[in-house]
């Protein structure tokens, strides 16, 4: 059948420029076909003309060798590694395969020796890539390109699973021998290379215990601690890692002193390691017990965080991860009060007032303010901050719907629930009535708590607290804001 099909084709078929996607399809088709005939006794029906742009007999051993390289990659490295990114320079323009023996024509274009020889032997006198008439059909080996292909091939070869496991075991032994600084950089590089490596580290028996154990060693160098946190942040998304880390950091008595290591990084580490700290801690604080522990006064953790964002005013990326962590741990009244006492309201007010503040930072600031306004200390701090209300009004309708709702909750708490005349005046002078009306009009539906709050705000802002009437500390709505009551 294949023979009949080939006879119907024209005896001369010129190569067409290959689109990258078609190259990928042809290449994968060839591999899948090889897999399909792997158990067959006969291989003479291999349809290589489906990806060779000219009529040809069965390919010679060099072509099989180059294809077998990719096939072996699949069997060794797994299905995810089948689509290896091959530099376009290494492809033969005719066969679209990685060249085994690259040679160059007088036009300067390089081809695989077998492919260009077949092209020339078929009677063509042009360069297949440029279609220029060849002044000479001689070609010379491209030794530099061949050397580069060989280096690339060797660098992409994959060691066996047994070799990798032996390497991980050697790293664990080295760390247990109190020499972690020698191998942690290698582990970071290994984990950065791909998901397969990260999965191996996460599932390897004893690896996580050994790595976390480094954090409990007193007097460890900051560079070592940074490497450990970097490794943990790389493997966080692997199955079961969060649960294991939670137990190791909060449940194990042997690792109960891990928190000082995180504090040391936040004080003296690089920006990247500080962000990795917050990523790890936010992921492992999965219940209220761990959140109360990490935010406990005795651990001195929250003061370090607030000081960090106070001194680093312009780093929006750092502010973003810090605020995410604070939102995560602010679950109890004592934690909220501690944040207020540390000056979180003033810090957030300054953040929102900054013209360079990222939208995500502003939205998370509004979320934290809506959290702390539910405690007495937070309410006092909000009313005492002269520019907080103005900063909130300025951000209305410029953030997401959820953040706008948080802003309305804070303004309602300040203006309606506690009727601070200074705050009301500040909101009114900041064009608050117009903006609150816009928010009110955007909220559709009967009983919408944001719409109802906006209505209350409009009354207070128009007539003042003294003439608003009908408001008392008992005002509440059957919504998530029913907990906002005077304390």
């Amino acid at each position: 059948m294949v023979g009949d099909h080939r006879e119907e084709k024209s005896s001369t078929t010129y190569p067409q420029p290959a689109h990258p996607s078609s190259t990928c399809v042809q290449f994968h088709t060839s591999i899948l076909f090889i897999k399909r005939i792997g158990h067959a006794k006969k291989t003479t029906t291999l349809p290589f003309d489906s990806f060779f742009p000219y009529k040809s007999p069965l390919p010679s051993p060099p072509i099989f060798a180059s294809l077998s390289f990719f096939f072996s990659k699949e069997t060794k490295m797994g299905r995810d590694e089948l689509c290896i990114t091959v530099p376009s320079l290494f492809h033969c323009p005719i066969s679209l395969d990685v060249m085994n023996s690259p040679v160059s024509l007088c036009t300067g274009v390089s081809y695989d020796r077998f492919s260009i020889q077949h092209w020339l032997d078929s009677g063509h006198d042009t360069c297949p890539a440029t279609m220029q008439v060849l002044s000479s059909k001689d070609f010379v080996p491209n030794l530099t390109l061949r050397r580069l292909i060989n280096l690339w091939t060797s660098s992409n070869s994959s060691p066996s699973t047994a070799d990798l496991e032996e390497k991980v075991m050697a790293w664990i032994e080295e760390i247990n021998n109190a020499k972690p600084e020698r191998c942690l950089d290698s582990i970071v590089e290994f984990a950065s290379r791909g998901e397969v490596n990260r999965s191996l580290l996460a599932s390897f028996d004893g690896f996580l215990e050994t790595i976390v154990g480094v954090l409990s060693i007193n007097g460890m160098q900051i560079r070592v601690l940074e490497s450990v946190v970097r490794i943990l942040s790389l493997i966080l998304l692997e199955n079961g890692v969060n649960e294991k880390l939670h137990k190791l950091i909060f449940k194990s008595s042997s690792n109960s002193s891990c928190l000082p290591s995180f504090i040391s990084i936040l004080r003296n580490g690089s920006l990247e390691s500080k962000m990795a700290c917050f990523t790890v801690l936010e992921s492992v604080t999965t219940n209220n017990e761990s959140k109360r522990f990490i935010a406990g006064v005795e651990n001195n953790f929250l003061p370090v965080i607030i000081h960090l964002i106070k001194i680093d005013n312009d780093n929006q990326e750092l502010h973003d991860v810090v605020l995410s962590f604070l939102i995560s741990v602010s679950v109890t009244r004592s934690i909220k009060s501690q944040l207020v006492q540390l000056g979180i309201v003033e810090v957030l007010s300054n953040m929102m007032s900054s013209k360079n503040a990222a939208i995500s930072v502003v939205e998370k600031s509004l979320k934290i303010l809506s959290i702390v306004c539910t405690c007495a200390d937070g309410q006092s701090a909000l009313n005492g901050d002269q520019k907080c209300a103005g900063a909130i009004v300025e951000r209305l309708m410029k953030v997401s719907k959820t953040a706008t709702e948080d802003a309305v909750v804070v303004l309602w708490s300040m203006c309606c629930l506690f009727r601070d005349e200074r705050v009301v005046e500040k909101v009114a002078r900041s064009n608050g009535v117009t903006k609150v009306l816009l928010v009110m009009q955007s909220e559709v539906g009967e009983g919408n708590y944001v719409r109802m709050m906006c209505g209350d705000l409009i009354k207070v802002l128009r007539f003042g607290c003294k003439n608003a009437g009908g408001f008392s500390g008992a005002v509440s709505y059957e919504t998530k804001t029913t907990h906002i009551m005077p304390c």
Side-chain angles (χ1 to χ4, degrees), residues 15-16 18 22-24 26-27 30 48 50-54 56 59 62-64 66-67 90-101 110-116 119 128:
Q16 299 296 323
S22 63
T23 303
C24 183
Q26 293 169 349
F27 176 70
S30 63
F48 271 86
S50 66
F51 61 93
F52 269 79
Y54 54 86
S56 65
I63 298 297
F64 274 113
S66 59
L67 285 174
F90 296 171
H91 286 292
C92 173
I94 297 176
S95 68
L96 306 178
D97 200 359
V98 178
M99 291 181 276
N100 284 281
S101 180
S110 295
Y111 302 89
D112 188 79
R113 182 186 294 271
F114 168 79
S115 301
I116 192 59
W119 172 263

Side-chain angles (χ1 to χ4, degrees), residues 83 207 299 421 453 468:
C83 297
F207 177 77
N299 291 320
E421 294 183 5
M453 283 184 168

Side-chain angles (χ1 to χ4, degrees), residues 419-431:
R419 296 177 292 180
D420 189 298
E421 294 183 5
R422 295 172 304 170
V423 176
V424 171
E425 183 181 1
K426 181 67 175 179
V427 173
R429 288 182 176 180
S430 301
N431 199 25

Side-chain angles (χ1 to χ4, degrees), residues 42-228:
K42 294 183 180 181
T43 59
T44 55
T45 58
L46 188 66
F48 271 86
D49 55 343
S50 66
F51 61 93
F52 269 79
Y54 54 86
K55 182 178 178 181
S56 65
L58 291 176
S60 63
I63 298 297
F64 274 113
S66 59
L67 285 174
S68 65
F69 165 76
F70 287 93
F71 182 63
S72 65
K73 283 287 184 184
E74 185 194 31
T75 57
K76 289 182 180 179
M77 302 176 69
R79 187 175 184 87
D80 290 340
E81 297 295 332
L82 180 61
C83 297
I84 301 173
T85 303
V86 183
S88 58
L89 191 64
F90 296 171
H91 286 292
C92 173
I94 297 176
S95 68
L96 306 178
D97 200 359
V98 178
M99 291 181 276
N100 284 281
S101 180
V103 295
S104 299
L105 292 178
C106 60
T107 58
V109 182
S110 295
Y111 302 89
D112 188 79
R113 182 186 294 271
F114 168 79
S115 301
I116 192 59
Q117 187 67 63
H118 187 90
W119 172 263
L120 297 175
D121 291 346
S122 299
H124 300 99
D125 60 353
T126 57
C127 173
T130 65
M131 297 310 295
Q132 294 177 344
V133 177
L134 298 173
S135 58
S136 171
K137 292 187 177 182
D138 296 333
F139 48 74
V140 295
N142 191 333
L143 300 180
T144 300
L145 182 56
R146 182 173 183 176
R147 189 177 299 110
L148 290 173
I149 293 174
N150 289 337
L151 287 173
W152 177 84
T153 302
S154 61
S155 66
N156 281 275
S157 60
S158 176
S160 65
T161 303
D163 292 338
L164 294 178
E165 291 178 347
E166 184 178 351
K167 181 184 292 187
V168 177
M169 180 61 71
W171 287 333
I172 293 176
E173 292 179 357
E174 197 167 351
I175 294 173
N176 289 332
N177 290 331
K179 299 177 181 178
E181 62 277 359
R182 297 185 179 182
C183 63
L184 287 174
D185 290 341
S186 299
I187 299 177
V188 171
E189 182 182 359
F190 179 79
S192 302
R193 287 181 179 176
E195 185 178 348
V196 175
N197 293 353
R198 291 191 287 272
S199 178
L200 174 64
L201 291 176
S203 60
F204 198 90
D205 189 30
F207 177 77
L208 273 178
E209 291 81 355
T210 302
I211 289 294
V212 175
V214 176
L215 296 175
S216 63
I217 301 175
N218 293 327
M220 187 59 66
Q221 297 177 7
I222 187 67
R223 188 176 67 84
V224 173
L225 299 178
E226 287 180 315
S227 297
V228 170

Side-chain angles (χ1 to χ4, degrees), residues 273-320:
S273 61
K274 290 175 182 178
M275 295 178 62
C277 268
F278 287 111
T279 301
V280 172
L281 289 173
E282 185 179 353
S283 297
V284 299
T285 50
T286 55
N287 56 30
N288 288 351
E289 182 183 357
S290 59
K291 292 174 182 179
R292 283 193 294 267
F293 172 79
I294 207 170
V297 178
E298 65 279 3
N299 291 320
N300 199 39
F301 194 68
L302 290 183
V304 173
I305 296 177
I306 301 301
H307 177 71
L308 180 64
I309 55 179
K310 278 183 178 179
I311 63 174
D312 212 336
N313 295 327
D314 298 326
N315 197 309
Q316 299 299 303
E317 195 173 4
L318 178 62
H319 288 174
D320 191 76

